[in-house]
Amino acid sequence: WVTVTNGPKSNDLGSRRDAIIRSEYLDVGQSPARTPGGSSVSYVHPSCLDETKEGSFVIGFNGGTSEGEGSNRVFVTRKPDGGEWSAPEIIEPEGSIDYGIIYQPRHNNNDTILCTYWWPAGCCGSGAYRYSTDDGLSWSDRIECPSSNLWTSGVMTTGMNHPLEFPNGDLWFAADDLGPQEGGTGHALITKVPWGSYTNTSNWTATDIHQGASVRKILGSWLVLSADYSKIMYCTRDNPDHSFTMSTDGGQTWNGWTSFNTSNNCGISTVSLSPDNESSPLHGYHLVTGSRHHILRVSLDVYVSSDPESNQWNKVLELNKLDSPPKVEENADPTIFQSRSDEGKVHLLFTGRGGDNLKYYLLDAYELCGVTATKSARDKMYDNNSGILFRRQHNELRIGFDAVQSKGSIKIYDMRGKTVFNRRIGNSSVVHITLNTLIAGNYVVQVRRGNSVVQKHVAVSQH
């Protein structure tokens, strides 16, 4: 039920067409997925994707036979590192729902994957979530989000896009209150989840960033985009366009709304590249992707900016470009994010609103942003002799491998020669090691892979 294409297809257009590495079409209608009544899933919308610290990919989506049909459920499909997509399984068996977010936090040593959604009915319902601590293999019971009078339903939601994650692990989800019916006026809200509270809602809070001012005719699909961690963009889809508001004091105050200088006005998703790594050539670049609404979504467009505050966006891709308007709307509600294992890659997922396909693209971030000065360095990222790459970022050590498929091991020794970390490795291309479990001091990391043995010194500071 999965079709893979290497490189761009004939209907992928734009000045950065060479940035398309691979695309996959997941035909859910041809998969074993079934509604509670036993029907094939002929409708998927919306959906969300994330890459886990173990190298797996997890997709969550709303599936049924039509957008408003009562058999819709939360489905999840998972592709382990080096494996294939599993058959989609229902993880929310009760009630008609609308889907929200799959996300695993990047900072701190935490294995929690969050799956959030609206329950029991549609995107005006109450927020709920389940979580996984075993890389998406199993999920907790349903947990309701906390009560809040900022939402008409009386319960918080977390919106439809990946959160802004701060270096301390706090999550800010851009949400909204659509009012009594979709398309009504609403408010720009932020649901705040502190580190350590991913599975415990007692410390969750929410704010109305404009103190009660409505956001015209909103239609969902919100995201917080970070220029850095003091300047924050809050982006929203409304009619007739996309809009954003800026905070330059870490979210304490917000300015008025400004329309994006893009042609999109539906299904928005945004990401800031390498926000934690000022030495990265991608730091300071930002992406927005979305599609048109009410004229049928004939393409999914990607825009790049190095100056989002000035509202300067350059359209570089038109994905899945259709020659004529489709019978049903396509190219809906994307999720775009930077790979956690390789900053040079960007993942993009979107859905055919009236169809049964999930559409996934793997993009080259350097090509997408036109950062040509780094290409030669990227091509030589592996040591010519060992094929092993060490990359350190904050409290995480990433060890990458080239095409060598031999098994091996990773050990960490302290300066007295005591083994403080020991892990066997299989065919994974990237291994993540969190260093904040070690006391401050100097260590030796030894990697064995096939006939190669490489050692590196690593200093761990006080946390």
Side-chain angles (χ1 to χ4, degrees):
W1 61 290
V2 178
T3 301
V4 179
T5 301
N6 290 321
K9 302 183 298 299
S10 60
N11 59 344
D12 294 330
L13 308 175
S15 60
R16 306 287 164 78
R17 190 169 179 266
D18 290 342
I20 301 171
I21 300 171
R22 187 176 76 253
S23 61
E24 297 183 11
Y25 279 58
L26 285 70
D27 190 349
V28 178
Q30 298 300 316
S31 79
R34 294 292 183 271
T35 68
S39 300
S40 297
V41 175
S42 55
Y43 160 84
V44 290
H45 169 78
S47 63
C48 189
L49 168 73
D50 201 15
E51 176 189 19
T52 74
K53 63 185 293 184
E54 300 299 330
S56 301
F57 288 91
V58 181
I59 291 177
F61 64 89
N62 186 41
T65 56
S66 67
E67 184 166 9
E69 207 277 322
S71 67
N72 292 344
R73 296 293 188 272
V74 173
F75 287 83
V76 166
T77 178
R78 174 179 175 274
K79 182 169 73 170
D81 187 16
E84 298 181 351
W85 289 106
S86 64
E89 296 182 357
I90 294 175
I91 68 166
E92 174 50 80
E94 299 182 39
S96 175
I97 57 84
D98 206 349
Y99 184 66
I101 301 165
I102 287 278
Y103 186 75
Q104 184 182 50
R106 271 60 173 163
H107 298 90
N108 297 296
N109 185 21
N110 194 288
D111 294 327
T112 304
I113 304 174
L114 296 173
C115 176
T116 72
Y117 49 92
W118 288 276
W119 182 88
C123 49
C124 302
S126 301
Y129 72 98
R130 295 175 185 249
Y131 65 88
S132 172
T133 56
D134 57 7
D135 202 48
L137 287 170
S138 62
W139 298 86
S140 71
D141 293 336
R142 181 179 63 248
I143 303 171
E144 282 204 13
C145 293
S147 300
S148 174
N149 59 10
L150 294 177
W151 278 264
T152 302
S153 68
V155 179
M156 296 180 189
T157 69
T158 56
M160 293 175 63
N161 281 289
H162 283 186
L164 172 63
E165 182 176 348
F166 290 85
N168 65 356
D170 290 353
L171 307 179
W172 284 18
F173 294 87
D176 62 88
D177 177 32
L178 294 177
Q181 62 182 6
E182 184 175 346
T185 57
H187 298 157
L189 309 174
I190 295 178
T191 301
K192 300 179 180 180
V193 178
W195 177 79
S197 300
Y198 301 152
T199 61
N200 179 357
T201 64
S202 59
N203 292 320
W204 291 28
T205 60
T207 59
D208 183 338
I209 68 174
H210 283 148
Q211 291 78 48
S214 66
V215 190
R216 296 166 288 179
K217 293 286 185 177
I218 64 169
L219 285 167
S221 297
W222 303 61
L223 190 68
V224 173
L225 167 69
S226 170
D228 60 24
Y229 292 110
S230 62
K231 298 178 181 178
I232 303 172
M233 292 183 73
Y234 189 113
C235 311
T236 177
R237 156 194 167 194
D238 59 17
N239 279 339
D241 52 23
H242 281 156
S243 300
F244 69 89
T245 178
M246 286 288 302
S247 172
T248 58
D249 55 12
Q252 298 183 58
T253 60
W254 299 82
N255 59 18
W257 292 100
T258 301
S259 295
F260 275 105
N261 71 330
T262 68
S263 60
N264 298 339
N265 67 342
C266 183
I268 185 174
S269 185
T270 64
V271 64
S272 294
L273 300 178
S274 303
D276 295 332
N277 186 4
E278 294 185 7
S279 64
S280 169
L282 295 170
H283 181 80
Y285 283 89
H286 312 266
L287 307 176
V288 164
T289 181
S291 53
R292 301 296 299 275
H293 191 48
H294 295 315
I295 58 171
L296 298 180
R297 300 161 179 167
V298 296
S299 68
L300 194 287
D301 300 332
V302 179
Y303 294 77
V304 176
S305 177
S306 59
D307 187 16
E309 289 183 72
S310 299
N311 202 15
Q312 299 300 311
W313 298 91
N314 178 34
K315 184 164 76 171
V316 294
L317 285 179
E318 293 180 82
L319 302 176
N320 200 43
K321 176 74 172 179
L322 305 177
D323 294 331
S324 59
K327 294 181 180 180
V328 294
E329 291 180 302
E330 287 201 24
N331 304 318
D333 292 339
T335 298
I336 191 168
F337 67 94
Q338 187 175 22
S339 170
R340 67 188 299 158
S341 60
D342 182 352
E343 72 166 19
K345 302 293 189 299
V346 169
H347 303 285
L348 173 61
L349 180 77
F350 53 101
T351 64
R353 181 181 173 96
D356 58 1
N357 282 327
L358 295 165
K359 304 171 184 180
Y360 163 79
Y361 280 74
L362 178 64
L363 304 176
D364 185 318
Y366 297 105
E367 295 283 357
L368 196 63
C369 298
V371 186
T372 57
T374 64
K375 186 173 182 180
S376 60
R378 179 191 50 182
D379 292 341
K380 298 177 181 178
M381 60 188 301
Y382 294 104
D383 181 275
N384 290 331
N385 296 319
S386 68
I388 299 173
L389 167 72
F390 290 79
R391 179 177 294 170
R392 172 78 178 273
Q393 184 172 330
H394 300 298
N395 68 340
E396 185 177 69
L397 177 65
R398 302 175 184 178
I399 303 175
F401 307 94
D402 62 8
V404 177
Q405 296 299 305
S406 304
K407 296 181 179 180
S409 65
I410 299 175
K411 294 182 179 181
I412 301 180
Y413 304 94
D414 63 18
M415 289 296 97
R416 294 175 297 175
K418 180 182 177 181
T419 302
V420 296
F421 179 93
N422 188 357
R423 178 189 296 178
R424 297 188 63 81
I425 52 177
N427 296 330
S428 299
S429 58
V430 179
V431 175
H432 302 260
I433 300 175
T434 302
L435 300 175
N436 62 3
T437 58
L438 303 177
I439 64 173
N442 295 312
Y443 297 87
V444 175
V445 180
Q446 182 189 83
V447 180
R448 293 179 178 270
R449 191 77 181 264
N451 295 323
S452 297
V453 179
V454 178
Q455 294 190 159
K456 296 289 184 181
H457 290 271
V458 173
V460 176
S461 59
Q462 187 67 44
H463 304 294

